[in-house]
Amino acid sequence: QVQLVESGGGLVQAGGSLRLSCVISGRTFSNYVMGWFRQAPGKERDFVAGINRSAGTTRYVDSVKGRFTISRDNAKNTVYLQINSLKPEDTAVYYCNALTYIDRDTKLWDWGQGTQVTVSS
């Protein structure tokens, strides 16, 4: 049974930064392309960023390019999302998951509990 445990969210002012973490257990982490998604209140859960198995390739949605950085540490079974220059519209619950391919938004596993990011203006 795979487990995803997201952490690092919080309440921050616009312009601030956060570093989200997601620890995976129950699978060989290094075998999987990983991604971050987010779900804002009243909206669908959307893909935000992805990273391939070797961390040599990343992909971002246009709205976060230049502000978000996805990374991974295969030795720690962890994927990270560094979020800078936060905006109120970044307020959402953030989730990680494995992706089928780096250029696809399709997740592989059941969702974890997510981590709440709230940005005040």
Side-chain angles (χ1 to χ4, degrees), residues 109-120:
W109 303 325
D110 291 339
W111 297 107
Q113 85 288 348
T115 187
Q116 175 72 49
V117 172
T118 303
V119 185
S120 62

Side-chain angles (χ1 to χ4, degrees), residues 1-67:
Q1 180 89 8
V2 62
Q3 285 192 320
L4 301 85
V5 179
E6 298 94 344
S7 63
L11 173 62
V12 295
Q13 290 187 333
S17 298
L18 286 172
R19 189 193 194 203
L20 309 184
S21 300
C22 175
V23 180
I24 308 300
S25 60
R27 291 290 186 275
T28 303
F29 177 73
S30 58
N31 287 347
Y32 293 92
V33 177
M34 294 298 300
W36 283 94
F37 297 74
R38 66 184 179 185
Q39 186 168 20
K43 297 187 177 181
E44 294 185 351
R45 195 163 352 205
D46 292 326
F47 170 82
V48 173
I51 187 167
N52 72 344
R53 291 176 291 179
S54 67
T57 300
T58 57
R59 182 169 71 95
Y60 302 91
V61 294
D62 287 345
S63 60
V64 307
K65 285 180 180 177
R67 299 189 300 120

